[in-house]
Amino acid sequence: MKLNAIIVEDEETSRNILKNYLEKYCPNVTVLGEAANINEALILINDNDLDLVFLDVEMPYGNAFDLLDKLEDINFETVFVTAYNHYAMEALNAHASYYLMKPISIDELIKAVDYVSEIRVKENALQDHVLIPRTNTVNGKITLPVQDGFEVINTADILYCKADDNYTEIYLTNNKKKLVSKTLKYFEDALNGGNFARVHKSYLINVNEVVKYLKGKGGSVVLSNGKEIMVSASKKSELLDFFK
């Protein structure tokens, strides 16, 4: 898949190295422009339909996170490029698709581009469509521990589960909510094999209840009750696999 990209990097030498690597090893990437600071980057982002932004973290007049905060809607994938590994957690929270360390490894660059290509192919196939899961029903039940025993519910009645420290909030299709003294990982394991997907560190969703996928910062899904839930960049590909 062809990817339109820009490079945001304050050092000209680093911009040239990355651009040369892309031309030689990632021919599906077209570099539409380069920016040396966040102000130049904002102009390029607003003037172009982008699939991918290679983004250095530290720049004059603000850093990469300042740039992302200035954008109301992000419809591109972000690959952070930096010499500092201590930004990794912030990059994850900013829904980076990939994190490249300087000096750039050609193999890692190719992996980053391939990953973004896979995401964009899936997104384009699903764009502006109401999603239809591969199966229409989820069979089975699950028990929820309560003070005096346990409660049995149909897994199909679960909209989504939300982490709350060592507890999990379970939201049901009848608008009721259950608070259970089990971690979200517990329910992820218990519902493994069904139509449930971990889309975020805090959310496990019933994919049968997804009615739309929206591009954005890592993307998001809209459930049948209108609830919009953010999708982590690292979970996006796994989620989209449900809707081939």
Side-chain angles (χ1 to χ4, degrees), residues 38 42 55 57 59 61-71:
I38 65 174
L42 280 171
L55 186 56
V57 176
M59 292 176 289
Y61 316 116
N63 61 27
F65 308 107
D66 296 324
L67 170 62
L68 296 176
D69 286 342
K70 291 178 180 291
L71 300 171

Side-chain angles (χ1 to χ4, degrees), residues 195-230:
N195 279 4
F196 286 83
R198 184 78 174 263
V199 297
H200 187 274
K201 65 180 181 180
S202 299
Y203 287 97
L204 177 71
I205 67 166
N206 181 348
V207 295
N208 274 335
E209 297 297 328
V210 174
V211 296
K212 196 167 187 181
Y213 171 80
L214 301 170
K215 291 183 178 180
K217 287 187 175 183
S220 62
V221 290
V222 178
L223 301 182
S224 59
N225 67 341
K227 171 73 174 179
E228 183 175 351
I229 294 177
M230 185 181 300

Side-chain angles (χ1 to χ4, degrees), residues 5-23:
I6 63 169
I7 298 172
V8 183
E9 162 68 65
D10 63 309
E11 296 180 359
E12 183 178 3
T13 300
S14 295
R15 291 199 304 270
N16 290 337
I17 289 173
L18 178 53
K19 188 175 181 180
N20 289 336
Y21 281 175
L22 290 169
E23 289 176 352

Side-chain angles (χ1 to χ4, degrees), residues 115 118-119 122 134 188 192 196-199 204 207 231-244:
Y115 182 76
E118 179 183 350
I119 293 296
K122 291 176 180 178
R134 290 177 295 184
E188 182 181 12
N192 184 37
F196 286 83
R198 184 78 174 263
V199 297
L204 177 71
V207 295
V231 179
S232 297
S234 61
K235 300 292 187 181
K236 186 187 298 184
S237 181
E238 180 181 344
L239 169 70
L240 296 181
D241 281 340
F242 278 91
F243 303 101
K244 291 182 177 178

Side-chain angles (χ1 to χ4, degrees), residues 1 19 34 41 69 79 97 104 119 124-126 136 141 160 165-166 168 184 188-190 230 239:
M1 179 183 179
K19 188 175 181 180
E34 303 171 28
D69 286 342
V79 172
S97 295
I104 295 173
I119 293 296
N124 288 343
L126 297 171
N136 294 321
K141 298 178 184 293
Y160 64 95
D165 292 328
N166 289 326
T168 297
L184 189 61
E188 182 181 12
D189 292 340
M230 185 181 300
L239 169 70

Side-chain angles (χ1 to χ4, degrees), residues 68-168:
L68 296 176
D69 286 342
K70 291 178 180 291
L71 300 171
E72 292 185 5
D73 192 19
I74 297 180
N75 290 325
F76 54 80
E77 304 300 317
T78 305
V79 172
F80 280 82
V81 185
T82 179
Y84 307 98
N85 59 16
H86 59 268
Y87 289 113
M89 183 57 68
E90 287 182 85
L92 179 63
N93 291 335
H95 310 289
S97 295
Y98 217 91
Y99 192 88
L100 291 175
M101 291 293 298
K102 296 178 182 177
I104 295 173
S105 159
I106 294 172
D107 288 340
E108 286 299 308
L109 176 62
I110 293 172
K111 286 180 183 178
V113 170
D114 285 347
Y115 182 76
V116 171
S117 295
E118 179 183 350
I119 293 296
R120 298 306 272 186
V121 166
K122 291 176 180 178
E123 282 187 333
N124 288 343
L126 297 171
Q127 188 176 12
D128 298 325
H129 287 276
V130 174
L131 304 185
I132 302 174
R134 290 177 295 184
T135 58
N136 294 321
T137 61
V138 179
N139 296 320
K141 298 178 184 293
I142 191 171
T143 59
L144 304 182
V146 292
Q147 189 172 6
D148 56 352
F150 61 85
E151 182 178 357
V152 181
I153 64 171
N154 293 317
T155 56
D157 291 336
I158 299 173
L159 277 171
Y160 64 95
C161 304
K162 180 183 178 182
D164 183 8
D165 292 328
N166 289 326
Y167 291 80
T168 297

